[in-house]
Amino acid sequence: MQRSPSPPGVVFGTGAYLIWGMFPAFFGLLAFASAAEVVAQRIIWTLVVVLIVLAVAGRLRAMRGIDARTWRLAAAASAAIAINWGTYVYGVNSGHVVECALGYFINPLVTVAFGVVLFRERLTRAQWVALGLGALAVVVLTVDYGRPPVIALVLACSFATYGLVKKVIRLDALRGIAAEGIVAFPFALAFLIALMATGRSEFTSTPAHVGLMLATGPVTLIPLLLFAVAAQRVPLSTMGILQYLTPALQMAWGVAVMHEPMPASRWAGFALIWAALAVFTTDALRRAGRARRAAVAATPVDEVTTP
């Protein structure tokens, strides 16, 4: 039987996407440092926090059982998310919050495109229409910006790649985050040491800078934990709708708070993206409904009525 959305699960999922949606407000406070330094600090302090959580939960020893193939996948996931984080921080702190939001609106369509190219998946007519609208939107926005929306495309592609790796890696959320952090830790630490040795580090310049950098750990981990809990209690179709909260909030922040320009041509590009997502989501919900009804019809009566 398919799960119905539980109120606590929806609350957890909404909380995760709301926190992610407010990331421009937090990472905007880190504009005093370069994107590379912020990412390196984020890697280190997220790893510290997740290792503490694993130790408190008595699951730290489970890290020893990770095989070589899984470590290689963790390295690939770590590289993808590092690119995503770095691009996002750069975008927020260079006045491109709206373009960052565009990246996460585009992400579901890029994931579908990856499925066609890499796994030869067959798409429905509605999915082809959604991809076509998405491609047209990129063309319109390229004309509007006078360049391809590079930040948005890098964010969408890097996060889609991260999602693909996470789909095949055999680790739960906490151990996955820990493995990715362990792989990236030596590189992040070496980079920060180099910054300090050359006097270019902003980490210890003021107590406020120290506090903000330390906060990147829990700020990163908390929404991931909320998401992991929600994913166990809420159907994927519901999570698929909730995910649009994040780019919607980020776009609102860029327009209303950062006062980024939104000419009519840019609104037209976003309208095409939203139309693509509407087609895509409606098709996904319709297919999920058919699958649910088929599963119920195929369930023997005694299984349905058994307490």
Side-chain angles (χ1 to χ4, degrees), residues 114-255:
F114 277 12
V116 174
V117 175
L118 300 178
F119 301 110
R120 304 299 176 94
E121 294 179 358
R122 300 185 64 180
L123 302 185
T124 65
R125 183 178 301 176
Q127 288 173 325
W128 279 117
V129 170
L131 284 179
L133 288 171
L136 180 59
V138 171
V139 172
V140 170
L141 290 168
T142 296
V143 173
D144 171 73
Y145 282 112
R147 58 171 176 79
V150 177
I151 292 174
L153 293 174
V154 171
L155 285 174
C157 292
S158 59
F159 200 71
T161 301
Y162 181 71
L164 287 176
V165 178
K166 297 293 280 186
K167 187 175 180 179
V168 298
I169 195 169
R170 296 182 178 180
L171 290 175
D172 58 82
L174 280 177
R175 287 198 302 154
I177 296 167
E180 293 158 22
I182 289 170
V183 170
F185 178 82
F187 302 98
L189 184 61
F191 177 74
L192 292 177
I193 290 173
L195 284 182
M196 291 179 183
T198 57
R200 292 182 295 158
S201 173
E202 295 291 339
F203 177 53
T204 57
S205 55
T206 70
H209 289 184
V210 174
L212 286 169
M213 290 295 195
L214 292 177
T216 59
V219 164
T220 298
L221 189 61
I222 288 171
L224 287 173
L225 293 178
L226 291 174
F227 175 83
V229 173
Q232 295 174 349
R233 304 184 181 191
V234 178
L236 286 177
S237 57
T238 303
M239 294 298 287
I241 294 173
L242 288 177
Q243 73 175 329
Y244 299 130
L245 278 173
T246 294
L249 286 171
Q250 292 179 358
M251 182 178 179
W253 183 271
V255 174

Side-chain angles (χ1 to χ4, degrees), residues 5 15 17 29 42-43 70 100 102 115 127-128 135 168 186 190 194 209 216 221 230 232 240 250 252 257 285:
Y17 287 117
L29 299 175
R42 189 178 182 184
I43 288 169
T70 302
C100 289
L102 174 64
Q127 288 173 325
W128 279 117
V168 298
H209 289 184
T216 59
L221 189 61
Q232 295 174 349
Q250 292 179 358
V257 179
L285 291 174

